[in-house]
Amino acid sequence: MKIKEFIVVEGKDDTAAIRRALDADTIETNGSAINKETIEKIKLAQQTRGVIVFTDPDFPGQKIRNTITNEVPGCKHAFIEKADALHKHGKGVGVEHASPEMIRQALKDAQVMMETYEETITQEDLVTAGLIGGDGAKERREKLGKMLKIGYTNGKQLHKRLMMFQVSQEDFAAAVEAIRKEEQNA
């Protein structure tokens, strides 16, 4: 499997994991403090072949993702669940620990975040669905992010992420219903 776009990852170990999974070129950020030279490289890559941002499912990874989103519009974003990115012995979380199958699936599901978006899902919808505040909200957000392939977010960021990925009211309602059924059967 060959990927046309450049894949932005955090470091050398992530690049090695990507290359075990498929044929692709990467750009390494070398940590969360992305320098101007790396941003310029990502901008050029976006103009020529496109970019998929594929960072670790943790705070530094989200910080990198936010920086790139602000500096280089139109990039695709791939997400991997924290549970799929854990070290075998519990020593860290990252793309480098994910299986080749998980990496291929995450890249296949990559989506573009929209810069301007129409609000189809309101904050009130999130509260009603039990995704913000209350017992189990975090777990529901994790499940929702996985089902909709938009990654995990905290309560404050969920609304924005749903809008940026233009998740439809129908897809949102179907995912919330699936989560409710799963909770009833547990």
Side-chain angles (χ1 to χ4, degrees), residues 10 55-62 65 79-86 93-95 152:
E10 294 180 44
T55 57
D56 297 345
D58 57 11
F59 180 78
Q62 186 59 46
R65 191 178 294 279
F79 297 93
I80 195 157
E81 298 298 315
K82 200 169 202 167
D84 296 326
L86 292 172
V93 62
V95 169
Y152 170 76

Side-chain angles (χ1 to χ4, degrees), residues 131-149:
L131 296 164
I132 300 176
D135 291 340
K138 179 181 180 184
E139 291 78 15
R140 285 185 205 100
R141 286 193 308 274
E142 286 174 354
K143 290 175 185 175
L144 184 82
K146 188 172 192 170
M147 287 178 181
L148 297 175
K149 298 174 177 32

Side-chain angles (χ1 to χ4, degrees), residues 66-132:
N66 292 344
T67 300
I68 294 169
T69 299
N70 291 334
E71 297 283 335
V72 189
C75 295
K76 288 182 181 176
H77 291 263
F79 297 93
I80 195 157
E81 298 298 315
K82 200 169 202 167
D84 296 326
L86 292 172
H87 185 275
K88 282 182 256 183
H89 305 294
K91 296 177 181 163
V93 62
V95 169
E96 71 268 21
H97 304 303
S99 70
E101 295 79 27
M102 286 295 175
I103 290 171
R104 284 191 291 270
Q105 188 61 50
L107 292 168
K108 184 175 157 255
D109 294 335
Q111 305 176 54
V112 175
M113 284 189 188
M114 306 307 278
E115 293 159 49
T116 58
Y117 37 84
E118 179 183 330
E119 182 179 57
T120 55
I121 300 160
T122 66
Q123 285 288 131
E124 189 176 317
D125 293 332
L126 302 180
V127 173
T128 302
L131 296 164
I132 300 176

Side-chain angles (χ1 to χ4, degrees), residues 163-182:
M163 296 304 97
M164 290 178 89
F165 282 112
Q166 289 292 277
V167 173
S168 71
Q169 183 69 40
E170 294 78 22
D171 289 344
F172 174 76
V176 168
E177 183 60 28
I179 292 167
R180 283 193 181 127
K181 283 183 181 172
E182 187 180 307

